[in-house]
């Protein structure tokens, strides 16, 4: 049974929301960068540290067994969250960035000069730079897919970009700048038709959408804990059985081995062969608590709330002279990026901070997208389950005052 959506009760679970910034109540609209943490997560990490902490898997004693149970229970929660077939398909990482690097490293051993990797121009740098490594070091060719006028992925251009030389398609499931949602199931279908693997960057989508990796059909899917109301330093890489089996280990040592001798080494099975060394134990347990907290609500209630906040903000600023909203694709997530003619986004963010409002300003680790948009940076307000309509109104009013000061 789902928990009732009570906004006041939800906000009471986030202690940081009671503080003031520059003498004003905190309005935290930087959720696409990192979300705040509820007491359920904070307390779970603290209680595990206080009562049952040890290293996992190899211990025989009680504390190690209890910690291992909590750690592996978190893996099962991640599996259920993504609807992965089994826990063996769930690799814990430091975050989405490490997950993508792991996949790129695994692919490196099979890349030949001229092999192609297909990206979109709205990718986060974390889903660009690892593929540049393969371009620089192995002769891979990067092919770029553009956008339609509304900020949606140009699927016709995508269909033309893939072909017999395509080895990997690495595309965001939801843009961190535009909020645009890609048709990942169709992306996967077309890629598999030419024998390519697909990595979906779910860093934003996992927060705002219900994700079913089996229905999407992707070979790889990454998400990161700190955007999911969980800790930093923890993320999840999903891989199909086939993708994990053919991928070589990313790092060596510790948990990823079966036997080590002077002249040979044999590797553990997935997911452990990708989890070298002492893992992020408390962080994984904290992520499990965050996923429990998120899934206690009816997903449709949460999405409706976030979309209502976005719609309120959109309607409140779209008529402002000189203001451009970037990304208006149907079905987009609750991410509002905008530019104000004559005002640098950093100046906007600094003035809004005086009113207690936290937004993000810059290129958002998406410089190819900024080039496409014809700007060096944008301002971005992004919404979460704990934000309120009243906060949106404060944002709209403060933005009007900032415009008066800057333009």
């Amino acid at each position: 049974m789902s928990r009732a959506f009570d906004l006041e009760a939800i906000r009471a679970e986030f202690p940081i929301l009671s503080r003031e910034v520059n003498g004003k109540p905190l309005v935290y609209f930087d959720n696409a960068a990192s979300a705040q943490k509820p007491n359920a997560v904070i307390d779970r990490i603290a209680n595990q540290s206080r009562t049952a902490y040890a290293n996992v898997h190899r211990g025989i004693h009680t504390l190690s067994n209890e910690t291992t149970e909590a750690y592996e229970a978190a893996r099962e929660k991640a599996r259920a969250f993504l609807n992965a077939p089994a826990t063996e398909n769930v690799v814990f990482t430091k975050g989405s960035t490490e997950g993508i690097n792991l996949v790129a490293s695994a692919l490196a051993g099979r890349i030949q000069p001229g092999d192609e990797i297909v990206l979109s121009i709205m990718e986060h740098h974390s889903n660009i730079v690892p593929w540049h490594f393969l371009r620089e070091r192995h002769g891979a060719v990067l092919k770029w897919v553009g956008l339609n006028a509304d900020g949606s992925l140009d699927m016709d251009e995508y269909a033309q970009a893939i072909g017999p030389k395509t080895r990997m398609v690495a595309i965001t499931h939801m843009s961190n700048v535009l909020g645009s949602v890609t048709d990942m199931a169709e992306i996967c279908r077309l890629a598999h038709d030419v024998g390519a693997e697909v990595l979906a960057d779910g860093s934003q989508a996992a927060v705002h959408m219900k994700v079913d990796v089996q229905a999407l059909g992707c070979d790889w899917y990454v998400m990161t804990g700190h955007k999911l109301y969980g800790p930093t330093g923890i993320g999840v890489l999903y891989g199909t059985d086939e993708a994990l089996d053919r991928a070589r280990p990313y790092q060596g040592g510790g948990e990823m081995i079966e036997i080590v001798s002077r002249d040979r080494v044999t590797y553990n099975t997935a997911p452990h062969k990708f989890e070298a060394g002492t893992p992020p134990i408390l962080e994984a347990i904290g992520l499990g608590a965050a996923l429990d907290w998120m899934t206690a609500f009816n997903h449709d209630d949460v999405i409706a709330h976030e979309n209502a906040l976005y719609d309120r903000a959109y309607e409140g600023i779209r008529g402002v002279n000189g203001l451009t909203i970037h990304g208006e694709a149907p079905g987009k997530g609750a991410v509002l990026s905008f530019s104000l003619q004559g005002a640098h986004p950093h100046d906007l963010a600094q003035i809004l901070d005086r009113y207690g409002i936290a937004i993000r300003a810059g290129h958002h680790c998406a410089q190819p997208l900024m080039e496409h948009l014809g700007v060096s940076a944008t301002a971005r307000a992004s919404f979460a389950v704990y934000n309120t309509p009243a906060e949106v109104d404060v944002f709209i009013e403060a933005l009007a005052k900032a415009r008066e000061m800057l333009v």
Side-chain angles (χ1 to χ4, degrees):
M1 183 176 180
S2 297
R3 175 181 168 184
F5 189 89
D6 182 335
L7 184 54
E8 186 175 344
I10 290 170
R11 287 181 61 80
E13 296 181 50
F14 289 81
I16 199 169
L17 298 182
S18 64
R19 71 163 290 180
E20 292 187 345
V21 172
N22 293 320
K24 306 288 185 182
L26 171 64
V27 175
Y28 188 79
F29 283 174
D30 194 19
N31 298 287
S34 197
Q36 298 299 335
K37 322 304 173 192
N39 285 323
V41 173
I42 297 168
D43 293 344
R44 184 71 180 88
I45 295 172
N47 289 338
Q48 189 74 37
S49 301
R50 290 190 183 104
T51 63
Y53 173 77
N55 212 329
V56 294
H57 296 142
R58 294 180 294 278
I60 303 300
H61 58 83
T62 297
L63 290 186
S64 179
N65 290 334
E66 290 178 354
T67 308
T68 298
E69 288 175 6
Y71 177 78
E72 291 300 333
R75 195 189 305 274
E76 165 57 25
K77 291 169 186 177
R79 183 213 64 77
F81 186 79
L82 293 173
N83 193 34
T87 54
E88 288 77 13
N89 300 104
V90 175
V91 177
F92 281 134
T93 65
K94 290 189 295 185
S96 293
T97 299
E98 185 179 46
I100 296 168
N101 276 272
L102 190 159
V103 174
S105 175
L107 182 63
R110 307 197 306 273
I111 282 287
Q112 300 296 318
D115 285 347
E116 296 172 353
I117 299 167
V118 175
L119 312 172
S120 84
I121 61 169
M122 59 180 167
E123 298 310 311
H124 190 282
H125 293 168
S126 292
N127 199 27
I128 296 176
V129 177
W131 310 114
H132 270 300
F133 290 167
L134 300 193
R135 177 191 61 78
E136 292 173 341
R137 303 168 190 177
H138 299 277
V141 175
L142 304 188
K143 299 190 73 173
W144 297 87
V145 180
L147 306 179
N148 297 310
D150 62 2
S152 59
L153 186 70
D154 188 331
M155 289 299 290
D156 290 336
E157 191 171 320
Y158 168 71
Q160 294 170 6
I162 58 176
K165 291 187 176 182
T166 307
R167 297 293 172 263
M168 177 66 70
V169 172
I171 288 182
T172 185
H173 197 186
M174 179 188 291
S175 167
N176 71 310
V177 177
L178 305 177
S180 304
V181 177
T182 57
D183 187 349
M184 190 53 61
E186 182 65 3
I187 289 170
C188 293
R189 186 187 71 80
L190 293 172
H192 291 158
D193 283 348
V194 299
E197 294 182 47
V198 178
L199 180 143
D201 180 357
S203 301
Q204 298 295 330
V207 186
H208 300 290
M209 300 170 59
K210 195 158 189 173
V211 177
D212 183 337
V213 291
Q214 296 187 73
L216 293 175
C218 53
D219 302 275
W220 305 98
Y221 197 96
V222 296
M223 66 181 190
T224 193
H226 67 96
K227 300 183 195 295
L228 291 159
Y229 308 99
T232 55
I234 183 66
V236 168
L237 169 67
Y238 158 80
T240 63
D241 291 340
E242 296 77 14
L244 290 166
D245 284 345
R246 63 177 169 254
R248 65 183 186 180
Y250 175 51
Q251 296 174 319
E255 192 67 24
M256 55 77 65
I257 57 88
E258 282 188 338
I259 299 172
V260 176
S261 67
R262 295 187 184 189
D263 56 3
R264 71 184 182 96
V265 58
T266 58
Y267 303 126
N268 207 337
T269 55
H272 302 298
K273 77 171 181 177
F274 301 108
E275 296 180 1
T278 299
I281 299 167
L282 294 174
E283 291 84 353
I285 293 169
L287 173 60
L291 297 179
D292 279 344
W293 187 87
M294 288 182 66
T295 55
F297 298 98
N298 182 295
H299 181 77
D300 292 339
D301 291 343
V302 174
I303 298 307
H305 171 67
E306 292 177 349
N307 288 343
L309 295 173
Y310 173 85
D311 291 343
R312 190 183 189 97
Y314 175 86
E315 291 299 327
I317 71 172
R318 69 185 180 96
V320 174
N321 289 335
L323 188 140
T324 300
I325 295 174
H326 302 289
E328 300 186 64
K332 64 168 287 182
V335 179
L336 180 63
S337 290
F338 59 95
S339 302
L340 184 61
Q341 188 175 2
H344 195 283
H346 289 168
D347 295 331
L348 282 175
Q350 193 168 30
I351 293 173
L352 291 180
D353 185 62
R354 297 179 190 174
Y355 294 93
I357 303 166
I359 67 167
R360 181 70 40 166
H363 54 62
H364 314 295
C365 295
Q367 287 178 307
L369 178 56
M370 296 297 111
E371 181 182 8
H372 168 78
L373 297 175
V375 297
S376 61
T378 73
R380 182 184 69 189
S382 48
F383 308 104
V385 64
Y386 44 65
N387 292 130
T388 70
E391 289 181 323
V392 173
D393 294 341
V394 170
F395 162 72
I396 294 169
E397 182 179 350
L399 184 60
K401 292 176 180 176
R403 181 179 178 277
E404 291 175 3
M405 296 172 61
L406 293 172
V407 179

